[in-house]
Amino acid sequence: MIFIAAKFRVLPEHADRWPEITAEFTEATRAEPGCLWFDWSRSIDDPTEYVLVEAFRDDQAGAAHVGSAHFRQAQQTLPPHLAETPRIVNTTVPQDDWSELGEMAVPSRG
């Protein structure tokens, strides 16, 4: 899978509305057949920073995402709300889902 983590520093006046601002883009991306997940989190240390963790099935799914109409639209509509260019880590991982964090294994509760 293609695994991506990106940090978005949002202008303070838009930070509380960021989930609303990105809602259409997020929904459209999650509906892509090759999208495994597309999840936003907000920093607990910096309320203007959001982290996007996303994964796509393979290179073709990643290319389809970047070539989509909703991605091109986001390239136009999201930057005016940002304080700086987002930072990204992008890598290929030989798996297709999250692995368990064995060091914090939780015994069965059932």
Side-chain angles (χ1 to χ4, degrees), residues 68-82:
S68 69
H70 56 270
F71 188 89
R72 287 191 304 278
Q73 178 70 23
Q75 287 178 298
Q76 300 302 312
T77 60
L78 299 185
H81 302 281
L82 299 175

Side-chain angles (χ1 to χ4, degrees), residues 43-104:
S43 171
I44 59 173
D45 297 322
D46 179 354
T48 68
E49 183 179 79
Y50 284 82
V51 176
L52 174 60
V53 178
E54 56 188 305
F56 296 91
R57 182 183 57 245
D58 52 28
D59 288 336
Q60 292 79 18
H65 171 62
V66 173
S68 69
H70 56 270
F71 188 89
R72 287 191 304 278
Q73 178 70 23
Q75 287 178 298
Q76 300 302 312
T77 60
L78 299 185
H81 302 281
L82 299 175
E84 63 187 28
T85 301
R87 294 166 289 142
I88 188 169
V89 175
N90 181 339
T91 190
T92 301
V93 181
Q95 60 192 69
D96 61 4
D97 203 352
W98 291 91
S99 299
E100 288 187 347
L101 179 59
E103 294 83 358
M104 292 191 187

Side-chain angles (χ1 to χ4, degrees), residues 8 10 14-22 40 50 78 81-82:
F8 290 74
V10 180
H14 301 293
D16 287 340
R17 291 188 49 248
W18 188 247
E20 176 187 332
I21 291 165
T22 61
W40 293 96
Y50 284 82
L78 299 185
H81 302 281
L82 299 175

